Amino acid sequence: MASHASSRVAKLAILSESPADEAAFGILIESVLERPFVRVRANLRARGWPSVLQVLPAVIRHLHFNTDAQGLVVVVDSDDSVVHTEAHDAPDYFHPQCRMCRLRATFRQTVKRLPPARGRERVLRGVGLAVPAVEAWYLCGRDARVTEDAWVNGQARGVLPYTRGQLKERIYGTDRPSLEYALRRAVVEVERFRRDTRRLEHDFPGFAALARDLRSWNLG
Ligand SMILES: [Zn+2]
């Protein structure tokens, strides 16, 4: 029985813009996977969007050859960039200003050159896009006006419904929280989704896309 139980534990790595968010992402990932996971450390850390994109190929290669990680979850903020839509999901489509499209393309290009290693074909992909920033996810269910739709409509009209600073202010009481305090607040907020992420998936398609990736993983 012990071996059965341990086979249910997934092994995965998380790469995001800040370590403050990774504990909260861990809770969301377990909720979607409906199983616990062991965190595999990536070889590099990132700070902010461009650095996530830059280190991604090296992180994938490291996990593939040097670890037993089954998958890698990458989450970034959209900030002011183009928000991923269903239209971007068309075969062979790629929006150069969309961070989700760019992360997926980098993933694809990196894994396709790698030979099987450590008993698996490739490291599985999970990509999420927090619109406009992860603090919007943390407000989900507490303020019905904070949704990905509200942001996208605001972008289209040129009148943003809120700023990223305002979202941070509401979660942390400041737009420059300490790492430790940010981590604690993030974990408290995602507790609402520990057993059910449906509301978050509904209000934030950039999270739903990550949930779809995770549910497509065949972890055995
Ligand atoms: Zn896209």
Side-chain angles (χ1 to χ4, degrees):
M1 293 310 279
S3 66
H4 177 73
S6 65
S7 73
R8 293 271 307 154
V9 177
K11 287 186 186 153
L12 58 95
I14 302 173
L15 177 64
S16 75
E17 297 187 31
S18 163
D21 300 312
E22 293 174 5
F25 295 154
I27 293 168
L28 296 174
I29 291 165
E30 280 187 347
S31 180
V32 172
L33 288 177
E34 298 180 338
R35 67 169 85 192
F37 72 86
V38 173
R39 174 96 179 266
V40 178
R41 297 275 156 201
N43 52 329
L44 298 165
R45 300 221 85 132
R47 231 22 185 133
W49 154 250
S51 108
V52 170
L53 187 67
Q54 277 158 21
V55 303
L56 182 58
V59 168
I60 293 171
R61 280 194 294 271
H62 165 75
L63 295 171
H64 183 75
F65 289 114
N66 305 329
T67 78
D68 292 322
Q70 292 163 292
L72 169 63
V73 169
V74 186
V75 180
V76 296
D77 293 346
S78 71
D79 298 325
D80 297 315
S81 67
V82 171
V83 174
H84 188 82
T85 66
E86 268 177 36
H88 299 191
D89 287 331
D92 300 323
Y93 185 85
F94 167 84
H95 196 301
Q97 269 89 51
C98 167
R99 293 178 179 180
M100 180 171 285
C101 283
R102 296 195 65 185
L103 290 169
R104 285 177 174 179
T106 300
F107 233 105
R108 197 162 49 238
Q109 285 153 13
T110 307
V111 299
K112 102 179 158 197
R113 294 193 208 102
L114 302 177
R118 302 180 78 102
R120 51 158 160 48
E121 287 289 314
R122 65 181 68 84
V123 173
L124 299 166
R125 179 204 82 189
V127 179
L129 184 67
V131 176
V134 72
E135 288 77 18
W137 288 4
Y138 301 156
L139 281 166
C140 176
R142 275 183 44 195
D143 183 344
R145 291 167 305 175
V146 178
T147 65
E148 194 167 312
D149 242 10
W151 182 263
V152 171
N153 290 337
Q155 268 190 331
R157 289 183 298 126
V159 187
L160 295 174
Y162 34 77
T163 65
R164 299 196 299 281
Q166 285 167 343
L167 297 177
K168 284 185 202 295
E169 197 65 62
R170 291 184 59 189
I171 293 293
Y172 313 116
T174 163
D175 63 353
R176 291 177 175 274
S178 72
L179 201 63
E180 190 198 342
Y181 184 66
L183 186 150
R184 232 171 34 228
R185 288 287 304 123
V187 166
V188 166
E189 294 298 341
V190 299
E191 277 300 325
R192 291 196 295 285
F193 310 109
R194 186 182 274 281
R195 273 178 195 82
D196 188 345
T197 56
R198 277 175 294 183
R199 175 72 188 266
L200 192 56
E201 290 176 58
H202 177 267
D203 288 358
F204 290 91
F207 175 76
L210 170 61
R212 269 198 308 279
D213 278 354
L214 291 169
R215 292 189 183 114
S216 75
W217 291 6
N218 184 2
L219 295 170

